[in-house]
Amino acid sequence: EKTVDDLSSLIIWICLGVIGLEALSLEFGIALSSILALGGIGSASVALALKNTAENFLSGQILRIIDKFRVNEEITVGNEHEKATVDSLSLLDVIVRKEDNSIMRIPNTVFMTHEVTNW
């Protein structure tokens, strides 16, 4: 899939960048450990910022594997007593149409942490 290719390409470029920094540090006497520490702090910040997105993505993959519900099926989530019809399943969320014809976008993690009744 395109996302996997993009991620692989990003990882390769990051590795090449680290190798280039190592070569520069040897050539010019730059403290590579300081640069790597800064990179570590930056990557930790990015990881924390993407935490919810990653949770939703992984939950979406699990939903596809366990096949809890499918498009056009009626479901109820959690303690809500209102049924909704599943319109679409995506990587990060599920779009449902409620009985009053309103559309809701529900994050995938909700389906992993709450009870889902499939009518």
Side-chain angles (χ1 to χ4, degrees), residues 69-102:
F69 50 84
R70 296 181 181 152
V71 174
N72 294 327
E73 290 185 341
E74 284 190 349
I75 61 170
T76 305
V77 181
N79 292 330
E80 293 185 28
H81 299 291
E82 188 174 1
K83 291 182 185 177
T85 304
V86 178
D87 275 357
S88 69
L89 303 164
S90 71
L91 294 176
L92 300 176
D93 54 25
V94 174
I95 297 175
V96 298
R97 184 177 305 273
K98 294 167 58 173
E99 290 177 336
D100 64 357
N101 216 21
S102 63

